[in-house]
């Protein structure tokens, strides 16, 4: 049974594992786990992910949690000639703080604009529509217009199914990423 960890997008979380017995830990490895295929992919610490291990405790730390972080994580511990593991399920929910709540009438037009921090330069913006707590990439078409120059997403001819949360994932010249959230409300 997986331990459930609920997080709000943009927050920090820690998946904590403690070995109940044994002091001679040989290795601790954290994995991203797919329960359908039973495939485990080792996690490499990066700008947002860190692994801390001390004694019989290990934590996988996630900063600025994103919807793509939702899923299963596994820790595998080898000690005193034995092996044990832990399983976690991370559930990511929409951030309650919305940068740009927008009231809209059906059939109207909504424009979301990203604000560039003064100390960095945005090099890339990816736009997503959040459906059932899962970000889905927005493809430009008749209804959705993406302007990289103006850092905007325009939604034309708003329909009932367009009401909800949107996410912009910004990548800066320093290689960091930041998420901004927008909403169309009825």
């Amino acid at each position: 049974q997986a331990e459930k960890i609920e997080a709000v997008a943009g927050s920090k979380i820690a998946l904590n594992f403690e070995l109940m017995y044994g002091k001679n830990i040989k290795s601790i490895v954290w994995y991203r786990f797919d329960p359908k295929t039973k495939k485990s992919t080792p996690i490499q610490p990066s700008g947002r992910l860190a692994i801390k291990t001390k004694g019989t405790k290990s934590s996988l730390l996630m900063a600025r949690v994103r919807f793509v972080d939702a899923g299963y994580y596994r820790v595998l511990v080898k000690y005193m000639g034995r092996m044990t593991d832990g399983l976690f399920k991370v559930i990511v929910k929409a951030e309650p703080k919305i940068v740009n709540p927008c009231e809209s009438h059906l059939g109207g037009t909504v424009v979301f604009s990203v604000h560039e921090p003064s100390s960095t330069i945005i090099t890339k913006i990816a736009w997503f529509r959040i459906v059932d707590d899962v970000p889905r990439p927005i493809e430009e078409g008749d209804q959705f217009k993406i302007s990289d120059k103006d850092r905007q997403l325009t939604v034309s001819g708003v329909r009932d199914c367009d009401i909800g949360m949107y996410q912009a994932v910004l990548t800066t010249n320093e290689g960091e990423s930041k998420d901004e959230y927008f909403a169309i409300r009825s």
Side-chain angles (χ1 to χ4, degrees):
Q1 184 77 7
E3 178 183 340
K4 287 185 183 176
I5 308 287
E6 290 193 9
V8 173
S11 67
K12 296 178 186 178
I13 63 169
L15 309 183
N16 299 310
F17 179 83
E18 183 173 3
L19 184 62
M20 294 305 190
Y21 15 74
K23 295 185 181 187
N24 298 325
I25 294 176
K26 187 173 182 177
S27 71
I28 296 179
V29 182
W30 285 88
Y31 297 90
R32 184 72 190 247
F33 179 67
D34 183 342
K36 291 179 185 172
T37 63
K38 304 291 186 209
K39 182 179 177 187
S40 295
T41 306
I43 294 174
Q44 300 298 323
S46 64
R48 289 186 322 106
L49 301 175
I51 297 171
K52 286 192 175 183
T53 301
K54 185 175 181 180
T56 59
K57 297 178 183 178
S58 184
S59 297
L60 173 60
L61 308 171
M62 294 183 197
R64 298 181 311 278
V65 174
R66 297 183 184 160
F67 288 98
V68 295
D69 295 324
Y72 288 88
Y73 294 82
R74 183 175 172 221
V75 60
L76 183 62
V77 181
K78 294 180 183 175
Y79 69 101
M80 299 188 316
R82 296 180 182 177
M83 199 179 316
T84 189
D85 67 346
L87 186 63
F88 300 85
K89 181 179 182 181
V90 173
I91 301 166
V92 181
K93 301 205 175 224
E95 183 176 77
K97 178 185 137 236
I98 300 168
V99 173
N100 187 358
C102 184
E103 302 293 327
S104 176
H105 299 288
L106 294 179
T109 298
V110 173
V111 178
F112 296 130
S113 298
V114 168
H115 301 92
E116 185 169 352
S118 58
S119 61
T120 59
I121 297 170
I122 297 171
T123 57
K124 182 180 175 186
I125 301 174
W127 290 93
F128 298 89
R129 166 86 165 93
I130 300 169
V131 179
D132 297 325
D133 290 332
V134 176
R136 307 210 187 247
I138 292 176
E139 295 182 23
E140 193 164 15
D142 292 338
Q143 187 182 15
F144 296 101
K145 299 286 183 203
I146 297 171
S147 170
D148 291 331
K149 179 182 163 225
D150 297 325
R151 294 174 169 69
Q152 292 180 337
L153 169 66
T154 302
V155 184
S156 301
V158 173
R159 303 168 297 178
D160 278 334
C161 63
D162 298 321
I163 294 170
M165 295 289 296
Y166 292 77
Q167 175 185 21
V169 178
L170 318 174
T171 304
T172 69
N173 59 333
E174 298 168 353
E176 294 182 4
S177 62
K178 175 184 174 222
D179 300 347
E180 286 193 13
Y181 295 89
F182 303 88
I184 297 177
R185 295 183 176 155
S186 57

